[in-house]
Every structure is written in C-alpha cells, then in structure tokens.
Amino acid sequence: MNLLIRHSRKLVYLVSICSGLTTAVAQPAPGKSSAVLEAYIQEGLQNNLALRQEHLEIKRVTESLNQAKALFYPRFTFNPTYSLAAGGRRLEFPVGDMLNPVYKTLNQLTGAERFPTNLENVNQLLAPTNFHDTRINVQYAIYNTDIQYNYLIQKDLLSAQESRKRVVANELRYNITTAYYQYLQTLDAIRIFTNSRNLLRELTRLNQKLVSNNVATKDVVTSAEYEVSKIGQQLANAEKNRTTAQAYFNFLLNKELQSAITIDSTLLEQQPAQVTETITGLQETAITRRQELTQLQSSIRAAQNAVKLNEANAKIPSVYLGGYTGFQGYGYTFRNQAYGIAQLGLSWDLFKGYEKRSKIQQARIQVDALQTKLSEVQQQIRLQVVQADAGIDAAQESLQATRQGVTATNQTLKVIDSRYRNGQALLIELLKAQNDYLTAQIQQSLAMYDLLVKRADLSRILAE
C-alpha cells in the first residue's frame, strides 16, 4: 500500500506539472508583434526572394520612366556614309554635240574665242561612286503629345509598381508572423505529448509494481504500454510538423531551412489587446491603408492618361525642329564640301481608317474596367474586415471554452487517479481521463494560436 501511495503521488505531481505548464502558455499575445518576431519580420523584408523580385521590377519600371523622360531632350546623331557604285542606270545628255557647233559659229562671228568648243557629252551614273556624306543630325520635338503623355503613364506605372511591392511586403509580414506562430504551436504540441508520455510511463511503472505485488493483473501493464506507444506516434508526427514549420519559416527569411529559431518567452506572457474600434471604423482604416487600392488608383490614372494620349494624337499635330550639317562630295577631301540644312516640320495623321477612334474607345473601356475592379476590391476589403472581426470573436470564445475544458478534464483526472489508487476505478477509466485531458490541452493550444493568427490576419487586412 505504501508503494501504491508513493507512485500515485508521483502521478499526481506529473498531472499538476502538466496543468501548470498548459496554463502558462495559454495567454495570447497582443496584436503588436514581439521584439523577436519583429526582428524576424524585418529580416524577411530585407532578404525574402519574392520581395527582391518586386524591387528589381521597380528598377525596371524606373528605367522605362527614364527612357520616356529622355525623349524630351534633343537627339544628336553622327551619320557618315560612303558610296561605291558600279553599273545601273545612267544619265545621258548630248550637251557637247548640241553646243559645240553653236559656240564655234559664235566665235567665228565675233572673231574671238569667247565660247568653249570642246564640251563633252554627259554620261553619268545615277548611283554616285566614291561619294561621301558625313554629317551630324539634330532632332528635337517642339510639341509632341505622345512624348508628354507617355511620360505621365510611365510615372503612374511606377507608382503602381511601388504599391505592388508594399502589398507583397504586407503579405510577407503576415506570412512570417503566422509561420512563427505555427512553429510555436508545434513546440507546444511536442511539449504536451511529451508530458503525457511521461505521465503514462509513470503509470506503466506503477502498474508493474502492482502486478509484482499481486495487486493487479498483467493486462494493466500492457494497456499502459499500448497507450505509451500511441503517444509516441503522435509525438513523432508532431516532430515532423515542427521540422516542416521550421523549414517554411526559414524559407520566408531566405535562410538555411534548418536554421535555429529564437523563441520569445515573453510572447506567451502578454495579455491580448482588445479591438475597440467599430466595424465601420476598421473598414475605413483598411480602405485608407491598403496598397492594393493605391495600386489600382495609379493604374486608373495611367489608363486615363492613355485616353488623353489617343485623343490628343487624333486632334493635335506634332511639331518638330531638326537639321543636319557636315560635308558632302566625291572623295574625302572636305574641301569646298561643307553644307547645312535646317528643318521645321509638322506631322498630322488626318485619316487612318478610324483606328484612332477605336484606340480612344479601347482606352476608355480599360478605365471603366479598372474602376469596376477598384469598387470590387473595396467591397472585398470591407468583407475581409467583417470576417476577421467575427473570426477573432469566435477564436476568443473557443479559447475560453478550451480553457474550461482543460480545467474540467484536469480535475476529473485527479479524481479518477485518486479512485484508481484506492482500487475504486478501472484502468480504462483512468486512461480515458488522461486521453480527455490530453485532447483538451491540444485543443487549447490550437485555439490559442488560432487567436494569434486571427489577430495577425486583421493586422494584414488593416495594413498595420
């Protein structure tokens, strides 16, 4: 009997430890992330590969804007050419045969050699040979609506891309936060299963002593050993989940997948921050902050500028100033070959088969489509706020219920354990009470971290 009491006291002590540990981890953290988690978030924002791709995309769009800006400046081109020709058409004109007799007669009449009488007939290739044209061209658009609106469109696209990066950063913050909570939950599950296995092992040793003292039959030992093996399977699955959660968390941070993760012990000691703002206030806050809307608004401005571009292109001509100067002639002598030309030009498409009217209509349709999308996203955000708020309320109630469940099953386990010590309860009753207590702890752990994830989701929706 003394042996039974001694081992039973150990069993009660283990039950008390399990109850105390579960209560200690059941305090949800506030909406604001802890210092350790925030450090991980900043590391992810700096190193995450998806965010780096968005940064490179911003650089690409920035270069497109620089290219559009470059069109406002004059364009200088050095353009030398040298031609060699053989064969082809010729310009033939018998100027010598026509003028030489006339000039000879005039010289005879005047008695002086005033007119040449040895003119040759013209026989010249139309394609010039040994001919060069070495010049510098200058082009400058005095007024061109295409250049003006293209620059504005590129600015809007850059703003949209920057908003897109902030959207990805907001999602990344949420993913890192939830991945960290999931990793902590796997550790909590491992702790619960480990404590339960230790409890069952102590029960197995107790039953072995009872059998050896002829107080119980051998089936109580084999039943307890079977329960230990089942807990071992659950513990192995929890270890697998821990490894997977650890790898995913490190993947988000672009680190080695098996890198150690720092656990913030203060995270589980903080009290939850209550949501005091109304649903309408939360919705307005989300609509004000969400970068998805900013991205769509920038895209709408780009589409509106595309409409203006096509309208101006159909109504207003383009005016340009240009010219070129250099040397032109046969052979590279540059002697008496200098020349220069200045130009003032205008370009205006008067009719292109209603193509421009179609482009204007197409651009307007794009604006309407984007504005419709903007209204849809605004409604989606309002819906997300309602769902997140309701999810938090449900998670809080679920956590409260699971806490009561842990307290109730713990008390039941203590009572049945006492009855078992006094030979007033069967082993199956004790094992059922232990299994109920284990299930209640797991449900409480899941509810606790589910509440944390729900709060992180609301922070994501509000773009905090």
Side-chain angles (χ1 to χ4, degrees):
M1 182 61 68
N2 292 333
L3 180 64
L4 177 61
I5 293 174
R6 185 165 61 250
H7 282 279
S8 298
R9 286 174 178 172
K10 292 181 180 179
L11 197 60
V12 173
Y13 177 68
L14 285 173
V15 172
S16 300
I17 291 177
C18 293
S19 176
L21 287 175
T22 303
T23 303
V25 299
Q27 300 294 335
K32 186 177 179 180
S33 59
S34 67
V36 173
L37 178 55
E38 184 62 30
Y40 275 129
I41 291 173
Q42 295 304 319
E43 184 178 358
L45 294 176
Q46 183 176 1
N47 298 330
N48 183 264
L49 295 179
L51 205 57
R52 284 186 183 180
Q53 294 178 35
E54 295 299 327
H55 181 67
L56 293 174
E57 188 66 18
I58 287 178
K59 286 187 174 181
R60 185 191 67 80
V61 178
T62 301
E63 293 305 321
S64 297
L65 178 63
N66 292 336
Q67 294 170 19
K69 185 177 181 180
L71 297 177
F72 286 101
Y73 295 94
R75 180 181 178 183
F76 294 86
T77 306
F78 180 58
N79 188 22
T81 60
Y82 178 74
S83 302
L84 289 174
R89 294 182 299 167
R90 289 179 171 273
L91 175 63
E92 297 182 355
F93 188 72
V95 62
D97 294 342
M98 295 173 60
L99 295 180
N100 285 336
V102 174
Y103 287 163
K104 183 178 181 181
T105 303
L106 289 174
N107 288 335
Q108 291 175 352
L109 291 174
T110 59
E113 296 293 329
R114 294 181 179 180
F115 301 96
T117 58
N118 57 349
L119 296 176
E120 296 182 356
N121 293 329
V122 174
N123 186 6
Q124 181 69 39
L125 283 171
L126 290 179
T129 185
N130 191 27
F131 181 83
H132 81 97
D133 185 1
T134 304
R135 64 185 180 181
I136 295 178
N137 295 343
V138 181
Q139 295 178 343
Y140 177 65
I142 298 177
Y143 185 77
N144 190 320
T145 56
D146 289 355
I147 295 176
Q148 177 184 356
Y149 286 111
N150 180 58
Y151 176 73
L152 296 177
I153 290 172
Q154 294 301 324
K155 284 185 64 176
D156 293 330
L157 293 179
L158 178 58
S159 298
Q161 191 60 44
E162 289 173 342
S163 298
R164 167 64 184 170
K165 181 184 176 182
R166 289 189 285 269
V167 169
V168 174
N170 186 43
E171 290 293 328
L172 179 61
R173 173 181 285 272
Y174 169 73
N175 290 334
I176 292 175
T177 301
T178 56
Y180 188 72
Y181 292 153
Q182 289 169 359
Y183 178 73
L184 294 183
Q185 198 280 323
T186 61
L187 295 182
D188 199 27
I190 291 173
R191 179 192 57 78
I192 293 172
F193 286 127
T194 301
N195 290 335
S196 181
R197 184 177 63 178
N198 293 337
L199 193 67
L200 288 170
R201 283 176 176 175
E202 184 64 26
L203 177 61
T204 302
R205 287 191 292 269
L206 171 63
N207 289 340
Q208 288 173 344
K209 295 295 182 180
L210 295 177
V211 172
S212 64
N213 287 278
N214 297 320
V215 179
T217 57
K218 190 176 181 180
D219 61 292
V220 296
V221 176
T222 56
S223 295
E225 290 176 343
Y226 174 65
E227 294 297 325
V228 171
S229 68
K230 289 198 303 183
I231 290 293
Q233 294 175 3
Q234 293 173 312
L235 186 59
N237 188 61
E239 287 285 356
K240 181 206 70 174
N241 293 337
R242 182 198 65 80
T243 302
T244 303
Q246 179 183 13
Y248 177 64
F249 182 78
N250 286 317
F251 165 77
L252 293 176
L253 270 60
N254 192 27
K255 298 172 64 176
E256 290 294 332
L257 300 183
Q258 301 305 319
S259 298
I261 300 175
T262 302
I263 305 303
D264 187 0
S265 58
T266 64
L267 181 67
L268 303 176
E269 300 172 357
Q270 301 172 357
Q271 295 298 320
Q274 299 297 325
V275 179
T276 57
E277 195 171 356
T278 63
I279 293 293
T280 302
L282 292 174
Q283 289 175 335
E284 294 305 317
T285 299
I287 289 176
T288 302
R289 294 178 178 175
R290 287 288 287 272
Q291 293 300 311
E292 291 92 334
L293 300 179
T294 305
Q295 180 183 3
L296 280 171
Q297 289 166 352
S298 297
S299 299
I300 289 174
R301 289 196 299 270
Q304 290 172 339
N305 282 324
V307 173
K308 295 178 181 178
L309 183 150
N310 287 287
E311 289 177 342
N313 191 268
K315 300 176 181 179
I316 303 174
S318 298
V319 181
Y320 65 91
L321 179 66
Y324 46 92
T325 182
F327 300 89
Q328 185 183 84
Y330 291 94
Y332 269 106
T333 63
F334 298 106
R335 183 176 298 173
N336 299 324
Q337 293 183 343
Y339 76 105
I341 298 176
Q343 296 176 328
L344 178 64
L346 181 146
S347 177
W348 195 357
D349 291 331
L350 298 178
F351 182 74
K352 292 185 68 175
Y354 303 106
E355 176 188 355
K356 293 186 178 182
R357 185 173 65 183
S358 177
K359 286 184 176 180
I360 294 172
Q361 186 63 24
Q362 185 181 46
R364 288 174 177 170
I365 292 173
Q366 179 67 14
V367 172
D368 292 340
L370 289 172
Q371 289 176 337
T372 303
K373 181 65 176 178
L374 178 64
S375 300
E376 180 187 15
V377 173
Q378 288 175 338
Q379 287 296 94
Q380 288 177 345
I381 291 174
R382 291 188 176 95
L383 176 61
Q384 289 174 355
V385 170
V386 173
Q387 292 174 333
D389 184 72
I392 290 176
D393 291 340
Q396 288 174 334
E397 294 178 2
S398 177
L399 178 59
Q400 183 63 30
T402 56
R403 284 177 177 172
Q404 296 174 356
V406 169
T407 302
T409 55
N410 182 36
Q411 293 175 351
T412 301
L413 177 58
K414 289 180 180 180
V415 171
I416 294 179
D417 172 69
S418 177
R419 291 173 54 200
Y420 183 75
R421 284 187 289 120
N422 293 292
Q424 298 176 357
L426 300 175
L427 177 62
I428 189 171
E429 293 180 278
L430 180 59
L431 293 178
K432 180 180 182 302
Q434 290 176 348
N435 184 67
D436 290 344
Y437 181 55
L438 172 64
T439 302
Q441 291 180 89
I442 293 297
Q443 289 176 343
Q444 183 188 37
S445 177
L446 292 174
M448 177 185 66
Y449 287 104
D450 181 61
L451 177 58
L452 294 177
V453 170
K454 290 293 192 299
R455 290 185 178 278
D457 185 45
L458 180 60
S459 295
R460 175 187 65 85
I461 294 171
L462 298 178
E464 292 182 338

